[in-house]
Amino acid sequence: MNKMATSHVNVPGEPTETGTALLETATGTIQGFQPINNIHQHLCAFHFYAHDMTRQVEAHHFCGHLNEDVRQCLIYDSPNKDARLIGIEYIVVESLFLTLPDDEKPLWHSHEFEVKGGYLFMPGVPGIVERQDLKQVCKTYGKVIHFWQVDRGDPLPLGIPQIMMALTRPGQLDENIAKDVEKRFGVSFEEQREQRKDLSGPDHGIHPLANAAGRGLKTELREVDIPPATSMPRVFV
């Protein structure tokens, strides 16, 4: 499998100038950032491209609740200050997932295996606190879109956004990636797996249409005809 890319790729552009930094300080003091301030947790997990499981990415989720049943997460390639924003994930409880149209369900993945397998964790959070939240996450489904293909070393977000999936069974995660993350964050997936074996997934079991329904999915761009301006409402002309 391909080794996961890290933040070693330099993003093109000039260093931030003093004037820009001062402006950011001023606007940061004056303006409010309520959507960002709603972020309350950091989850580390792994995603792979829905059309190519060998392309695996370390994904750092910074999440906030919209309500008790819906979370939304910004995904970065690391937890560092210079981390690149590479995607987003929406997380919903089972009851909401079951209301989705059948052609929508394959775009969502289950979280049971990555939680019970120990691969999804909250860096720096005591196990007893982490466990309380992961009991809920274990029953949820997520929809992930990545915009920046850092695993292939892209210096900027190139190409078409891609649907991502999560681990669903043993042997999927590249051992080199696993060992690297365990070492850097001081965690043991095996120990976490043992501690979480009593957790339970969705009450109705993992839906057969979730996780791409067991198939590969790839987003592609295609040309379409644009309606002539005469056929559009005047408000858009």
Side-chain angles (χ1 to χ4, degrees):
M1 290 187 178
N2 297 333
K3 286 191 175 183
M4 173 181 50
T6 63
S7 295
H8 296 156
V9 176
N10 292 324
V11 177
E14 296 298 321
T16 303
E17 296 181 356
T18 302
T20 301
L22 290 173
L23 179 61
E24 289 179 345
T25 300
T27 56
T29 302
I30 298 170
Q31 294 184 301
F33 300 92
Q34 294 187 48
I36 303 300
N37 292 338
N38 189 46
I39 290 175
H40 63 275
Q41 67 180 188
H42 169 204
L43 301 171
C44 180
F46 305 92
H47 294 156
F48 62 84
Y49 291 79
H51 65 279
D52 187 353
M53 189 181 295
T54 67
R55 296 179 60 190
Q56 302 179 350
V57 180
E58 179 182 330
H60 291 270
H61 306 55
F62 291 85
C63 308
H65 276 87
L66 282 177
N67 54 46
E68 189 65 22
D69 296 339
V70 181
R71 308 185 195 198
Q72 53 187 8
C73 308
L74 299 176
I75 300 175
Y76 292 84
D77 65 333
S78 84
N80 302 325
K81 182 179 180 180
D82 62 348
R84 292 166 291 182
L85 178 63
I86 62 174
I88 56 175
E89 177 166 3
Y90 301 101
I91 299 175
V92 300
V93 297
E94 179 186 21
S95 59
L96 289 182
F97 172 81
L98 294 176
T99 67
L100 299 175
D102 283 351
D103 61 353
E104 170 69 20
K105 289 185 176 75
L107 304 179
W108 296 70
H109 63 267
S110 58
H111 290 128
E112 180 179 359
F113 177 78
E114 57 181 346
V115 171
K116 295 182 67 174
Y119 302 111
L120 190 156
F121 64 98
M122 302 171 69
V125 175
I128 189 171
V129 177
E130 177 186 60
R131 180 182 174 86
Q132 292 304 308
D133 190 66
L134 293 187
K135 285 169 59 178
Q136 300 178 22
V137 176
C138 198
K139 296 177 175 291
T140 62
Y141 291 87
K143 182 178 184 178
V144 181
I145 300 172
H146 278 203
F147 306 100
W148 198 330
Q149 300 188 48
V150 293
D151 65 296
R152 63 184 188 186
D154 288 0
L156 290 171
L158 305 177
I160 304 170
Q162 294 293 327
I163 293 291
M164 308 295 283
M165 290 291 155
L167 305 173
T168 57
R169 61 181 183 272
Q172 290 180 329
L173 182 61
D174 186 300
E175 290 186 6
N176 292 324
I177 295 177
K179 291 178 181 178
D180 177 59
V181 170
E182 287 179 308
K183 181 179 180 180
R184 282 189 286 114
F185 290 93
V187 298
S188 168
F189 296 151
E190 184 176 355
E191 290 180 6
Q192 292 181 157
R193 188 176 306 121
E194 180 64 22
Q195 295 167 1
R196 301 174 186 177
K197 62 183 180 181
D198 62 320
L199 298 183
S200 57
D203 294 335
H204 295 86
I206 296 175
H207 197 284
L209 291 179
N211 303 306
R215 300 187 295 270
L217 293 176
K218 185 176 183 180
T219 54
E220 296 181 339
L221 188 67
R222 63 184 178 87
E223 293 184 359
V224 297
D225 293 330
I226 299 177
T230 55
S231 67
M232 297 176 65
R234 291 187 60 83
V235 68
F236 295 116
V237 177

